[in-house]
Every structure is written in structure tokens, then in C-alpha cells.
């Protein structure tokens, strides 16, 4: 997998979320519409944990920022899980972007 140095532009992707994005902190579901920056950071940490579990190390580049640009929809699946849908943008390292696309169904 190609590594991107700090001197190059971060990978960016956009599309539509086909499966809902969700994040939990200390067993509580975070609400994107209330605190999008914290939601994005906790999503980054979740992806880092999954990456570590899968590969036994953290990626060299750990940048990740997630935003829902248009069509924000909120769905309560179960009391402990709120999923968000809409048109998204992600700015991230290649490794975390790949992990995001593996974890959530996007178009």
C-alpha cells in the first residue's frame, strides 16, 4: 500500500452513505448533529483501533476528518445506536480512508 508523506495532499473522497455511520464513546452513542467535530474524532479513534486489531500496528499517517455535507438523516436503530446518512466527505490518510470504506457501505 502506498504511503503518503506529510508534504503531499491528503486523500479525499466523497459520496453517499448507504449504511449508517455511528460512533460510541463510553457506551453512549454520539450525536453527529450536536457535535460533528467530536463525532469525527471518535470515528478516527475507532478506525485506528480496528486498524490496530487487524494489523498489530497503527498506520504511520493517522489523519482523518469526516463531515456530512448534505441530506443529513438520523436513524435510531436501537437505544444505544444512532446512525447517520447523507452525502459525506472524508479527508484522511490512505490507510484510514480504506478502513472507513471497508467498515461502512458507501457509494
Amino acid at each position: 500500500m502506498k504511503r503518503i508523506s506529510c508534504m503531499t495532499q491528503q486523500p479525499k473522497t466523497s459520496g453517499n452513505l448507504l449504511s449508517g455511520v455511528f460512533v460510541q464513546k463510553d457506551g453512549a452513542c454520539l450525536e453527529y448533529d450536536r457535535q460533528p467535530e467530536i463525532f469525527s474524532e471518535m470515528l478516527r479513534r475507532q478506525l485506528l483501533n480496528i486498524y490496530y486489531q487487524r494489523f498489530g500496528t497503527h498506520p504511520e499517517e493517522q489523519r482523518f476528518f469526516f463531515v456530512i455535507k448534505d441530506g443529513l438523516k438520523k436513524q435510531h436503530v436501537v437505544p444505544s445506536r444512532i446512525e447517520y446518512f447523507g452525502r459525506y466527505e472524508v479527508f484522511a490518510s490512505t490507510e484510514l480512508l480504506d478502513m472507513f470504506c471497508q467498515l461502512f457501505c458507501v457509494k
Side-chain angles (χ1 to χ4, degrees):
M1 189 175 292
K2 183 180 172 186
R3 299 241 180 225
I4 297 177
S5 73
C6 293
M7 297 306 226
T8 61
Q9 185 177 359
Q10 295 182 45
K12 173 187 170 186
T13 192
S14 62
N16 291 307
L17 293 163
L18 301 178
S19 64
V21 172
F22 65 94
V23 176
Q24 293 183 329
K25 180 180 179 185
D26 302 326
C29 212
L30 295 179
E31 295 187 52
Y32 175 84
D33 47 340
R34 291 190 181 185
Q35 297 178 309
E37 295 87 5
I38 294 172
F39 187 96
S40 178
E41 174 57 20
M42 294 310 297
L43 181 55
R44 185 184 79 83
R45 291 180 187 187
Q46 177 179 312
L47 295 171
L48 284 170
N49 286 338
I50 293 168
Y51 188 95
Y52 186 82
Q53 290 173 8
R54 190 172 287 173
F55 300 109
T57 185
H58 286 107
E60 185 178 318
E61 293 291 332
Q62 298 184 7
R63 296 173 286 174
F64 182 88
F65 183 74
F66 168 85
V67 63
I68 296 177
K69 298 296 282 182
D70 296 307
L72 176 65
K73 292 180 184 164
K74 182 177 183 176
Q75 179 179 355
H76 293 266
V77 178
V78 293
S80 63
R81 187 159 145 185
I82 302 169
E83 293 184 355
Y84 292 90
F85 298 85
R87 184 151 182 78
Y88 73 92
E89 282 189 351
V90 171
F91 303 87
S93 69
T94 302
E95 293 85 357
L96 291 183
L97 181 57
D98 289 345
M99 196 63 48
F100 174 81
C101 291
Q102 290 174 29
L103 190 59
F104 300 104
C105 186
V106 297
K107 176 182 172 187

